[in-house]
Amino acid sequence: MPGIGEGGQGFPAEEIDTSRPHPARMYDYYLDGWDNYEVDRAAAERVIEVHPQVRLSARANRAFLRRAVQEAVRGGIRQIIDIGTGIPTSPNTHEVAREIAPDVRVAYIDNDPIVATHAGAKLTNAGGAGFALADVRQPETILRDPVVRELIDFGEPVALLLVAVLHFVKDSEDPAGIVATLGDALPAGSLLVLSHATEEPYEGYEAGRTDTVARDGVLDVYKNATAALNLRGRAAIEPLFGRFELLEPGLVRVPLWRPDGPVPGPEELSNTIFYGGVGRKG
């Protein structure tokens, strides 16, 4: 994985690994972005070939982030830590939040130096936002980072975003422990916004052989990326919330989390491979 740095500015181009596809840049391609390389596009196209609905999933996940951030800010939260920011895609977290409250502060975290190269222009140019190059696998480093310490008052509630991140953390790397370390640093009233990819079919929709082939094909592509994909079922994802009590409607397929439009049918929900939920620390 790319190295860990502080501040997010001035990273040389040679630190950007273009020899293997990077999940953040592949995700950017799914969202029709341009900040990716040929190796990322080729890998993403292989995923699309075996699972054409991956773009549907990416967009639904992005919409979930938007709705969750809106709910957090409407509920009074004015500071956000967004881990696994990814390639900036408007509207970004601070843009969504500031449509409701212009004083929201956002600390963006990602482990890909290419995100750092865009941070000044797209994430931190409006003030009240900063970027740190760091890895979710080292949560203590994130909590100590001077950018985070400058922006975030750990005496006031925080919205912690771990959106489409933890499925790149292996069981041996203790995803639950990572969330617990981050959550322990936050006061009561803080929120955890989490989404995670799954291989489970939507309840009531019978998965067939083609679904299994698609799953295996997607996993094979990510084995060659800078981070492998670790799909988990709902029974393994829900405990990741730890001390954060899930808010209604609980852990659901992301289009079902407080939708602001028509709800998809069972087949589309099954093809939308993300579970999502928001928990509050009591």
Side-chain angles (χ1 to χ4, degrees), residues 70-252:
Q70 289 172 337
E71 289 282 350
V73 177
R74 289 189 186 114
I77 285 182
R78 294 295 180 266
Q79 45 186 4
I80 299 171
I81 301 175
D82 184 351
I83 301 178
T85 301
I87 308 297
T89 303
S90 190
N92 293 293
T93 297
H94 70 282
E95 294 169 327
V96 173
R98 290 174 185 175
E99 287 178 356
I100 300 170
D103 59 337
V104 175
R105 303 184 305 280
V106 181
Y108 289 104
I109 315 291
D110 203 278
N111 73 340
D112 185 359
I114 195 174
V115 181
T117 67
H118 293 286
K122 298 183 179 181
L123 297 178
T124 64
N125 60 329
F131 177 84
L133 189 71
D135 197 305
V136 70
R137 296 167 183 81
Q138 296 185 315
E140 298 90 348
T141 302
I142 293 173
L143 294 170
R144 291 195 305 265
D145 189 280
V147 171
V148 176
R149 303 304 300 190
E150 179 182 353
L151 283 167
I152 304 300
D153 177 357
F154 286 91
E156 297 293 331
V158 177
L160 171 64
L161 274 55
L162 289 167
V163 176
V165 174
L166 293 179
H167 47 245
F168 296 113
V169 178
K170 296 180 288 189
D171 288 344
S172 61
E173 294 168 326
D174 191 13
I178 289 169
V179 178
T181 298
L182 294 166
D184 286 348
L186 307 181
S190 294
L191 298 181
L192 170 61
V193 179
L194 186 154
S195 69
H196 194 296
T198 185
E199 61 187 19
E200 290 180 340
Y202 178 66
E203 184 179 354
Y205 178 78
E206 188 67 30
R209 180 180 177 278
T210 55
D211 301 276
T212 303
V213 171
R215 177 201 66 195
D216 293 343
V218 171
L219 291 174
D220 283 343
V221 173
Y222 277 94
K223 284 178 183 176
N224 296 315
T226 57
L229 190 60
N230 303 274
L231 301 176
R232 297 182 174 99
R234 180 176 178 174
I237 299 170
E238 191 162 340
L240 297 176
F241 282 86
R243 295 173 59 188
F244 290 85
E245 182 178 353
L246 278 163
L247 305 180
E248 290 295 332
L251 183 66
V252 294

